[in-house]
PDB file of all heavy atoms in Angstrom:
ATOM      1  N   GLU A  24     -10.613 -17.737  -4.148  1.00 81.00           N
ATOM      2  CA  GLU A  24     -11.493 -17.298  -5.229  1.00 81.00           C
ATOM      3  C   GLU A  24     -11.148 -18.009  -6.534  1.00 81.00           C
ATOM      4  O   GLU A  24     -12.038 -18.373  -7.296  1.00 81.00           O
ATOM      5  CB  GLU A  24     -11.406 -15.784  -5.401  1.00 81.00           C
ATOM      6  CG  GLU A  24     -12.119 -15.023  -4.329  1.00 81.00           C
ATOM      7  CD  GLU A  24     -11.970 -13.524  -4.456  1.00 81.00           C
ATOM      8  OE1 GLU A  24     -11.291 -13.052  -5.375  1.00 81.00           O
ATOM      9  OE2 GLU A  24     -12.545 -12.816  -3.611  1.00 81.00           O
ATOM     10  N   GLN A  25      -9.862 -18.202  -6.797  1.00 81.00           N
ATOM     11  CA  GLN A  25      -9.450 -18.919  -8.008  1.00 81.00           C
ATOM     12  C   GLN A  25      -9.921 -20.372  -7.957  1.00 81.00           C
ATOM     13  O   GLN A  25     -10.388 -20.912  -8.956  1.00 81.00           O
ATOM     14  CB  GLN A  25      -7.930 -18.858  -8.194  1.00 81.00           C
ATOM     15  CG  GLN A  25      -7.440 -17.517  -8.683  1.00 81.00           C
ATOM     16  CD  GLN A  25      -8.083 -17.116 -10.007  1.00 81.00           C
ATOM     17  OE1 GLN A  25      -8.171 -17.889 -10.936  1.00 81.00           O
ATOM     18  NE2 GLN A  25      -8.554 -15.884 -10.064  1.00 81.00           N
ATOM     19  N   GLU A  26      -9.799 -20.995  -6.768  1.00 84.00           N
ATOM     20  CA  GLU A  26     -10.304 -22.363  -6.600  1.00 84.00           C
ATOM     21  C   GLU A  26     -11.792 -22.414  -6.885  1.00 84.00           C
ATOM     22  O   GLU A  26     -12.276 -23.292  -7.591  1.00 84.00           O
ATOM     23  CB  GLU A  26     -10.064 -22.843  -5.159  1.00 84.00           C
ATOM     24  CG  GLU A  26      -8.758 -23.520  -4.933  1.00 84.00           C
ATOM     25  CD  GLU A  26      -8.633 -23.994  -3.494  1.00 84.00           C
ATOM     26  OE1 GLU A  26      -9.594 -24.553  -2.946  1.00 84.00           O
ATOM     27  OE2 GLU A  26      -7.549 -23.779  -2.933  1.00 84.00           O
ATOM     28  N   LYS A  27     -12.522 -21.461  -6.303  1.00 88.00           N
ATOM     29  CA  LYS A  27     -13.976 -21.428  -6.491  1.00 88.00           C
ATOM     30  C   LYS A  27     -14.311 -21.218  -7.963  1.00 88.00           C
ATOM     31  O   LYS A  27     -15.231 -21.845  -8.487  1.00 88.00           O
ATOM     32  CB  LYS A  27     -14.599 -20.324  -5.637  1.00 88.00           C
ATOM     33  CG  LYS A  27     -16.105 -20.301  -5.730  1.00 88.00           C
ATOM     34  CD  LYS A  27     -16.715 -19.296  -4.803  1.00 88.00           C
ATOM     35  CE  LYS A  27     -18.231 -19.369  -4.911  1.00 88.00           C
ATOM     36  NZ  LYS A  27     -18.916 -18.443  -4.062  1.00 88.00           N
ATOM     37  N   LYS A  28     -13.559 -20.349  -8.625  1.00 90.00           N
ATOM     38  CA  LYS A  28     -13.805 -20.086 -10.040  1.00 90.00           C
ATOM     39  C   LYS A  28     -13.648 -21.372 -10.850  1.00 90.00           C
ATOM     40  O   LYS A  28     -14.492 -21.685 -11.689  1.00 90.00           O
ATOM     41  CB  LYS A  28     -12.830 -19.012 -10.533  1.00 90.00           C
ATOM     42  CG  LYS A  28     -13.030 -18.609 -11.962  1.00 90.00           C
ATOM     43  CD  LYS A  28     -12.056 -17.512 -12.338  1.00 90.00           C
ATOM     44  CE  LYS A  28     -12.178 -17.103 -13.774  1.00 90.00           C
ATOM     45  NZ  LYS A  28     -11.227 -16.050 -14.139  1.00 90.00           N
ATOM     46  N   HIS A  29     -12.596 -22.121 -10.584  1.00 91.00           N
ATOM     47  CA  HIS A  29     -12.378 -23.371 -11.318  1.00 91.00           C
ATOM     48  C   HIS A  29     -13.469 -24.393 -11.002  1.00 91.00           C
ATOM     49  O   HIS A  29     -13.925 -25.118 -11.894  1.00 91.00           O
ATOM     50  CB  HIS A  29     -10.993 -23.941 -11.010  1.00 91.00           C
ATOM     51  CG  HIS A  29      -9.879 -23.092 -11.534  1.00 91.00           C
ATOM     52  ND1 HIS A  29      -9.692 -22.853 -12.880  1.00 91.00           N
ATOM     53  CD2 HIS A  29      -8.902 -22.398 -10.903  1.00 91.00           C
ATOM     54  CE1 HIS A  29      -8.655 -22.066 -13.060  1.00 91.00           C
ATOM     55  NE2 HIS A  29      -8.153 -21.759 -11.871  1.00 91.00           N
ATOM     56  N   GLU A  30     -13.903 -24.435  -9.743  1.00 91.00           N
ATOM     57  CA  GLU A  30     -15.003 -25.331  -9.370  1.00 91.00           C
ATOM     58  C   GLU A  30     -16.275 -24.946 -10.108  1.00 91.00           C
ATOM     59  O   GLU A  30     -17.023 -25.819 -10.574  1.00 91.00           O
ATOM     60  CB  GLU A  30     -15.233 -25.293  -7.861  1.00 91.00           C
ATOM     61  CG  GLU A  30     -14.145 -25.977  -7.063  1.00 91.00           C
ATOM     62  CD  GLU A  30     -14.327 -25.790  -5.570  1.00 91.00           C
ATOM     63  OE1 GLU A  30     -15.385 -25.279  -5.133  1.00 91.00           O
ATOM     64  OE2 GLU A  30     -13.403 -26.161  -4.829  1.00 91.00           O
ATOM     65  N   LEU A  31     -16.537 -23.651 -10.205  1.00 92.00           N
ATOM     66  CA  LEU A  31     -17.743 -23.190 -10.904  1.00 92.00           C
ATOM     67  C   LEU A  31     -17.687 -23.520 -12.388  1.00 92.00           C
ATOM     68  O   LEU A  31     -18.706 -23.890 -12.983  1.00 92.00           O
ATOM     69  CB  LEU A  31     -17.922 -21.681 -10.711  1.00 92.00           C
ATOM     70  CG  LEU A  31     -18.429 -21.245  -9.345  1.00 92.00           C
ATOM     71  CD1 LEU A  31     -18.317 -19.737  -9.200  1.00 92.00           C
ATOM     72  CD2 LEU A  31     -19.859 -21.693  -9.129  1.00 92.00           C
ATOM     73  N   ILE A  32     -16.514 -23.407 -12.993  1.00 94.00           N
ATOM     74  CA  ILE A  32     -16.371 -23.746 -14.410  1.00 94.00           C
ATOM     75  C   ILE A  32     -16.647 -25.235 -14.617  1.00 94.00           C
ATOM     76  O   ILE A  32     -17.378 -25.617 -15.545  1.00 94.00           O
ATOM     77  CB  ILE A  32     -14.970 -23.347 -14.924  1.00 94.00           C
ATOM     78  CG1 ILE A  32     -14.860 -21.812 -14.964  1.00 94.00           C
ATOM     79  CG2 ILE A  32     -14.687 -23.953 -16.289  1.00 94.00           C
ATOM     80  CD1 ILE A  32     -13.458 -21.292 -15.187  1.00 94.00           C
ATOM     81  N   ASP A  33     -16.105 -26.074 -13.743  1.00 95.00           N
ATOM     82  CA  ASP A  33     -16.375 -27.519 -13.816  1.00 95.00           C
ATOM     83  C   ASP A  33     -17.860 -27.801 -13.631  1.00 95.00           C
ATOM     84  O   ASP A  33     -18.450 -28.625 -14.341  1.00 95.00           O
ATOM     85  CB  ASP A  33     -15.564 -28.286 -12.765  1.00 95.00           C
ATOM     86  CG  ASP A  33     -14.072 -28.275 -13.050  1.00 95.00           C
ATOM     87  OD1 ASP A  33     -13.679 -27.981 -14.207  1.00 95.00           O
ATOM     88  OD2 ASP A  33     -13.299 -28.564 -12.119  1.00 95.00           O
ATOM     89  N   TYR A  34     -18.466 -27.114 -12.670  1.00 94.00           N
ATOM     90  CA  TYR A  34     -19.885 -27.301 -12.386  1.00 94.00           C
ATOM     91  C   TYR A  34     -20.735 -26.880 -13.580  1.00 94.00           C
ATOM     92  O   TYR A  34     -21.711 -27.561 -13.937  1.00 94.00           O
ATOM     93  CB  TYR A  34     -20.256 -26.486 -11.142  1.00 94.00           C
ATOM     94  CG  TYR A  34     -21.652 -26.686 -10.636  1.00 94.00           C
ATOM     95  CD1 TYR A  34     -22.082 -27.923 -10.173  1.00 94.00           C
ATOM     96  CD2 TYR A  34     -22.554 -25.623 -10.604  1.00 94.00           C
ATOM     97  CE1 TYR A  34     -23.369 -28.105  -9.693  1.00 94.00           C
ATOM     98  CE2 TYR A  34     -23.841 -25.800 -10.124  1.00 94.00           C
ATOM     99  CZ  TYR A  34     -24.240 -27.033  -9.677  1.00 94.00           C
ATOM    100  OH  TYR A  34     -25.515 -27.213  -9.204  1.00 94.00           O
ATOM    101  N   LEU A  68     -20.006 -16.552 -11.932  1.00 91.00           N
ATOM    102  CA  LEU A  68     -18.725 -16.387 -12.630  1.00 91.00           C
ATOM    103  C   LEU A  68     -18.542 -14.944 -13.096  1.00 91.00           C
ATOM    104  O   LEU A  68     -17.431 -14.397 -13.045  1.00 91.00           O
ATOM    105  CB  LEU A  68     -18.636 -17.345 -13.821  1.00 91.00           C
ATOM    106  CG  LEU A  68     -18.349 -18.798 -13.473  1.00 91.00           C
ATOM    107  CD1 LEU A  68     -18.594 -19.696 -14.674  1.00 91.00           C
ATOM    108  CD2 LEU A  68     -16.920 -18.957 -12.963  1.00 91.00           C
TER     109      LEU A  68
END
Side-chain angles (χ1 to χ4, degrees):
E24 285 177 359
Q25 285 302 314
E26 270 182 44
K27 183 175 182 180
K28 183 178 178 181
H29 293 297
E30 288 174 9
L31 285 170
I32 291 169
D33 292 342
Y34 186 63
L68 284 167

